[in-house]
Amino acid sequence: MKNKVTIKDIADKAGVSTATVSRVISGKDKVKEETKQLVNEIIKNMGYDANKKHSLSYQSSKAILICVTELVNPFIVPVLEGIQNSSRKNGYYTMILQTKDSYTEFSEYEQVLKEQHIAGVIFLSSMTGQQLKSITEQLNGRVPIVFCSEYVENSDISLVGINDIEAIQKSTSYLLAQGKRKILFVNSTRNHNYARNREKGYRDLMKTHNISINEDYFIHLPSVNYALAYSA
C-alpha cells in the first residue's frame, strides 16, 4: 500500500518549511517565484492532492486558542490580557487550554482543533523548543500558529517575544552598576532556547567586564515553575 504524501514530505523534499508549502498551496501569501515553482513541481511529481481537505482551522471562526502550561506564573497574566484585548478589538475571542502534564502529542491538539473550530493557535508555553517542534511541524500549514516566548529555531512560524540576550544584559548591567559582583543566575534547563540565550548574554557580559564566572552561581531549575524559582 502506497504511503500517503504529506505537506511535511513535500517540505523535506523541497528543503523548505511546511509553512512555505502551505502558502504555495493556498496562494494567499507571497512566495519567491523560484520556490513556488520548485514546490509545485515536487507536489506534481509526488502525486500530492493539493485540493484535499487538510486544514484544521476554520475561516469563519472567531476563536483563538491559547495554549499555556500553567496559569500561576505572573508572567502569563499580562500577556494573556494583551492577547485578549487585541483579539476583542479585532472581533475575535480567546479560549485557554492549560497543557501542564498533558497535551504532549500532536494527536491531542488535533482532536481539540477538530472539536472546537479554531481560527488559529498561540503557543504561550514552557515546552522546550524540541517539544514544540514535534507538535507544530504537524500542525503547521493546517492552522495558523504564533509562538510567544519559547519558539522553534530555524522556523518561519511567527514569533512574538523579546531579545533574551539584550534583556539579561540590561538587568545584569544594572546590578553591576550598583557595585554587585556576586550575581546568582537562576535559569530553567538549557533545553529551552530562551534559557540558552539568556545564559549566553550573562556570560558574554561578565567576560566583557573581565569578571570571573563562578559556575556555582548558576542554578538550573528542572522545570519552568514560578513557585520553585521563588523558593530558590
Side-chain angles (χ1 to χ4, degrees):
M1 179 177 170
K2 185 178 179 181
N3 291 331
K4 184 168 61 175
V5 178
T6 65
I7 285 182
K8 188 176 185 305
D9 295 330
I10 303 295
D12 291 342
K13 185 73 173 178
V16 299
S17 70
T18 52
T20 298
V21 175
S22 180
R23 287 199 292 269
V24 171
I25 293 173
S26 67
K28 294 180 180 178
D29 297 303
K30 292 182 178 180
V31 179
K32 289 182 179 179
E33 189 60 35
E34 57 188 284
T35 302
K36 187 187 300 183
Q37 290 178 4
L38 173 63
V39 171
N40 281 328
E41 183 178 348
I42 292 173
I43 286 175
K44 181 179 179 181
N45 292 339
M46 296 185 72
Y48 178 77
D49 182 5
N51 295 315
K52 69 179 182 179
K53 299 293 184 180
H54 65 278
S55 178
L56 285 172
S57 65
Y58 294 79
Q59 292 184 351
S60 60
S61 174
K62 294 296 181 180
I64 297 175
L65 182 68
I66 308 173
C67 299
V68 298
T69 305
E70 59 181 4
L71 297 172
V72 296
N73 189 331
F75 163 77
I76 298 293
V77 177
V79 177
L80 286 176
E81 289 180 350
I83 294 173
Q84 291 173 331
N85 290 338
S86 182
S87 297
R88 282 196 296 269
K89 287 179 182 178
N90 289 278
Y92 287 79
Y93 65 92
T94 57
M95 300 173 63
I96 297 175
L97 177 67
Q98 186 170 356
T99 61
K100 186 176 182 179
D101 300 325
S102 59
Y103 296 97
T104 58
E105 302 293 334
F106 161 71
S107 59
E108 295 173 308
Y109 286 92
E110 184 179 39
Q111 188 62 36
V112 171
L113 294 173
K114 284 181 176 179
E115 292 177 355
Q116 299 300 325
H117 290 198
I118 300 298
V121 181
I122 297 175
F123 281 93
L124 177 56
S125 172
S126 60
M127 287 190 293
T128 67
Q130 190 58 44
Q131 289 172 323
L132 277 174
K133 181 179 180 181
S134 67
I135 293 171
T136 56
E137 272 190 345
Q138 298 177 80
L139 287 176
N140 199 8
R142 303 180 69 184
V143 61
I145 298 172
V146 174
F147 291 137
C148 183
S149 186
E150 185 61 355
Y151 60 96
V152 175
E153 290 183 305
N154 302 317
S155 168
D156 59 1
I157 294 177
S158 297
L159 164 68
V160 177
I162 64 172
N163 185 322
D164 290 296
I165 292 177
E166 182 180 297
I168 193 62
Q169 289 185 340
K170 281 185 176 180
S171 58
T172 305
S173 293
Y174 172 79
L175 293 175
L176 292 175
Q178 305 304 308
K180 310 300 181 183
R181 292 297 181 268
K182 297 180 179 180
I183 302 174
L184 192 68
F185 189 83
V186 181
N187 203 2
S188 60
T189 71
R190 294 188 181 96
N191 292 327
H192 297 278
N193 294 315
Y194 67 81
R196 293 195 297 272
N197 287 333
R198 291 173 188 177
E199 184 168 331
K200 180 182 185 303
Y202 172 87
R203 289 180 180 276
D204 289 348
L205 184 68
M206 298 297 272
K207 289 178 181 178
T208 299
H209 287 274
N210 296 315
I211 300 174
S212 60
I213 297 175
N214 188 334
E215 297 299 329
D216 292 336
Y217 290 170
F218 289 87
I219 296 177
H220 290 95
L221 302 177
S223 63
V224 181
N225 184 304
Y226 172 72
L228 182 61
Y230 187 79
S231 65

